[in-house]
Amino acid sequence: MDAYKSAGVDYQALDAAKREAVAAALSTSHLLAARGARAIDESRGEPAFVFTVGGTTLAMVLECLGTKSIIAREFEESGGSAHYGDVAYDTVAAVVNDLCCVGGLPLVVNAYFATGDAGWYGRGKRLTSLVEGWRRACADAGAAWGGGESPTLASLVSDEDIELAGCAVGQVPIDPILGDRLAPGDEIILLASSGLHANGASIARRVAADSADGFHTRLDSGTLLGDAVLEPSIIYSPLIADLLGLGIVPTYISHITGHGFRKLMRARGDLVYRMRTLPKVPEVLSFLVGRSGMDARAAYGTFNMGAGMALFSRPRDSDRILERARACGFDPLRAGEVESGPRSVLIEPLGITFASEDLSLR
């Protein structure tokens, strides 16, 4: 997947670092016993870490926004709309969407706002927008904003920019969703994305830099590239809470972020994920794919391409999941099914196959 690497993001190196860190983290699991807790080590490598304490199962995750806040700053400085509330919302979405993949319903979200110069907060209405966006996202996720940290990191973070990240703890009211229940015959339901979400900002910045009008380039609809790229992500946790409350438990959930459709085969085990129908691709993603010269394989292995989250379910539950998704305001698509075979993703309409070696997160 050269598109990311050419934009300065080497996922092969990052994934290798993650695997090494996970191996080291695994060696600390036994320490929880001294506090009457237990690590669910099967969750290692999943979107969130799961553990039990006092008869309660909890999940925890930390995520960062990446460089999307740079786009907000560059767009604002060039006369575009300020989107700091939206990038704050994106950060919370990245956190809670990962949390709900294991069946975790967010309880508390903490914020991390790092700047190179504390004067960043005094420029215009940046702080007000940032705080309101974070608060609004927590409210939409059904979580309390517990607190956080706002360090000034001179020489580490640019004086002009802000680095956003967050962590969350959630309750897992069921047996954790870790992929062990996935089986041939399960159906794959995709939930539509709103656009870029929190993945692909480095490529968007490169495309804008190569365009005469930068983030003020107009898409065919007339929307400015900056506004389209900064469209807030969708928070999916309300649907997961709704489903679990009704006793409808997906066999697996995958947040489609970095690695694109390759994330469909995130679960352990040898299974084929056959996609027969694809969602509509948001205009901004089609634009970025075209301007960056990606072929279809690179595009679907990089961006979400219109699918923000995948729910896997037994066929008997699929109709109810589709019904509840629509009732909760989401746009679902019955897109494919799980089959026996070597671990892979088959995107039939495009003739694309991703094999197990194309995704190495564990």
Side-chain angles (χ1 to χ4, degrees), residues 237-256:
S237 56
L239 172 60
I240 306 306
D242 179 85
L243 293 175
L244 299 188
L246 294 171
I248 306 170
V249 181
T251 55
Y252 196 63
I253 303 173
S254 186
H255 186 195
I256 309 300

Side-chain angles (χ1 to χ4, degrees), residues 35 42 128 165 174 201 358:
R35 304 287 187 268
E42 293 80 7
T128 299
I174 56 169
D358 293 318

Side-chain angles (χ1 to χ4, degrees), residues 233-300:
S233 304
I234 294 175
I235 290 176
Y236 299 100
S237 56
L239 172 60
I240 306 306
D242 179 85
L243 293 175
L244 299 188
L246 294 171
I248 306 170
V249 181
T251 55
Y252 196 63
I253 303 173
S254 186
H255 186 195
I256 309 300
T257 54
H259 304 89
F261 270 45
R262 290 179 286 166
K263 277 282 179 69
L264 293 171
M265 58 175 172
R266 181 168 190 159
R268 295 177 176 86
D270 285 333
L271 291 169
V272 176
Y273 304 89
R274 185 179 298 275
M275 309 306 297
R276 299 189 186 277
T277 307
L278 297 176
K280 180 180 179 181
V281 180
E283 181 185 33
V284 65
L285 295 183
S286 293
F287 179 87
L288 293 174
V289 168
R291 286 295 182 96
S292 60
M294 291 184 186
D295 60 18
R297 178 180 171 81
Y300 278 83

